[in-house]
Amino acid sequence: MQRPYPSQIFAKLRLQLPALAKAERRAAEYILDNPDALFSQNLQDLADHAGSSQAAIVRMCKAIGLDGFKQLKAEVTRQQRDDSHDLFPENGGNGNPDRPGMAEVLKKVFSYNVQSLQDTFALYTEEYDKALAAIASARQLAFFSIGNASMPCQYACMMFRRIGYYCTADIDPDIQMINASNLKRGDVAIAVSHTGQTRHVVATTELARDNGATTICITKNAKSPLTKASDIRLFAATIDSSANMELVARRIAEYAIIEAFYQAVRQRRPEMDSLVSDGSRAMRVNKLPGFKKSNKDGD
């Protein structure tokens, strides 16, 4: 039975690129660079233009879950049609391409992040269900990351502590190694690395798994040292753009994945709602006089 999730064919192609053989990768890269050209091409045309072969293209299609070239062409056509719909209407701006107004910048950033979230959702697999089962029954959670990837991990640690979890998300690499060494069977380690190649994050994940913990990674790279060290693999998709925008989008996808697990655990275990309420009442000490609570979770 086919799942009712969006295909987002370009996201799947980008995810699988590192794992594809050379001829398959050339075809995938050509499609990503020239999506409009596919409309007028048959299988042999695509093979000739991509410097590939018909057999390699069929193997590439299988690698991303498609039956073959016909379905590939249909999916590319569908996504090109969907992408042509503007998510945000025009709203002013100064019309200067060298110094765009705030409306143009907001539109670009918001559109880019919405696309990143849609592409990440398209990479959903049953691995998410396995991760939820492990997290919901975990004795403790440990988050491993470095640099700006630590921001969603710090957020996750705060949220899961609010519902009673013993949770760590230390920034210091040595302390993270100590945390990994203390994990045992029944614990869960969640590693966040966009490339999946951060030496320290891979090392802590390997140590956690050696000690019996279930290891989960959130990464962009389907073929990386981190995925090899992880029992459960979750993928965040981002579109190549300016470096700064990609940096923001990758973090937003990671935040969204973590938020989804937090909400899913609360739905499974409604008794945790009382812990959230207790925490919110305790945090009122930080509110200014006259503060009226309007959000169940506070901030």
Side-chain angles (χ1 to χ4, degrees), residues 5 18 29 39 75 89 92 95 125 131 190 203 209 235 238-239 245 253 277:
Y5 302 124
E29 290 173 341
F39 298 157
E75 289 296 327
T125 67
I190 302 174
R209 189 172 65 175
F235 298 107
T238 55
I239 308 167
M245 285 187 66
S277 298

Side-chain angles (χ1 to χ4, degrees), residues 31-185:
I31 293 168
L32 289 170
D33 292 338
N34 307 277
D36 292 336
L38 203 61
F39 298 157
S40 60
Q41 293 176 346
N42 58 32
L43 180 57
Q44 186 58 56
D45 292 334
L46 175 58
D48 292 341
H49 283 86
S52 185
S53 68
Q54 292 188 36
I57 293 170
V58 173
R59 290 196 300 271
M60 177 205 70
C61 292
K62 299 291 186 182
I64 57 175
L66 303 180
D67 296 332
F69 174 75
K70 185 177 180 180
Q71 189 179 7
L72 170 69
K73 191 168 183 176
E75 289 296 327
V76 170
T77 301
R78 184 189 63 78
Q79 185 160 342
Q80 286 290 86
R81 182 183 65 246
D82 292 345
D83 290 349
S84 67
H85 296 150
D86 202 344
L87 292 171
F88 300 97
E90 294 294 338
N91 189 25
N94 59 17
N96 185 343
D98 296 324
R99 297 187 64 183
M102 198 59 211
E104 287 98 328
V105 175
L106 281 170
K107 179 180 179 180
K108 186 174 183 181
V109 171
F110 288 4
S111 298
Y112 187 73
N113 287 311
V114 167
Q115 186 67 58
S116 176
L117 293 172
Q118 289 176 336
D119 287 354
T120 296
F121 180 58
L123 301 179
Y124 173 89
T125 67
E126 285 76 9
E127 294 282 278
Y128 275 89
D129 300 301
K130 295 178 184 177
L132 174 59
I135 293 170
S137 61
R139 186 180 67 93
Q140 67 170 306
L141 302 177
F143 289 87
F144 303 140
S145 61
I146 200 166
N148 52 59
S150 64
M151 294 184 289
C153 293
Q154 292 285 312
Y155 167 77
C157 187
M158 178 191 71
M159 298 301 286
F160 279 101
R161 281 182 175 176
R162 294 193 68 184
I163 53 176
Y165 278 80
Y166 179 80
C167 184
T168 61
D170 295 280
I171 296 175
D172 184 274
D174 290 338
I175 297 179
Q176 288 189 44
M177 290 299 291
I178 293 172
N179 292 338
S181 68
N182 289 328
L183 295 178
K184 299 178 179 63
R185 187 173 301 278

Side-chain angles (χ1 to χ4, degrees), residues 185-263:
R185 187 173 301 278
D187 298 332
V188 172
I190 302 174
V192 179
S193 171
H194 187 64
T195 64
Q197 296 177 326
T198 306
R199 185 190 303 272
H200 159 71
V201 176
V202 173
T204 51
T205 305
E206 290 174 337
L207 179 57
R209 189 172 65 175
D210 290 344
N211 287 341
T214 298
T215 53
I216 301 171
C217 71
I218 301 175
T219 182
K220 174 188 177 182
N221 196 341
K223 187 179 181 181
S224 67
L226 183 58
T227 56
K228 292 179 181 178
S230 301
D231 300 310
I232 300 171
R233 305 162 186 87
L234 310 176
F235 298 107
T238 55
I239 308 167
D240 292 332
S241 182
S242 69
N244 289 337
M245 285 187 66
E246 185 184 55
L247 181 66
V248 173
R250 75 179 67 157
R251 298 288 87 96
I252 285 177
E254 292 158 2
Y255 273 110
I257 291 171
I258 290 167
E259 174 75 15
F261 280 118
Y262 169 76
Q263 296 294 347

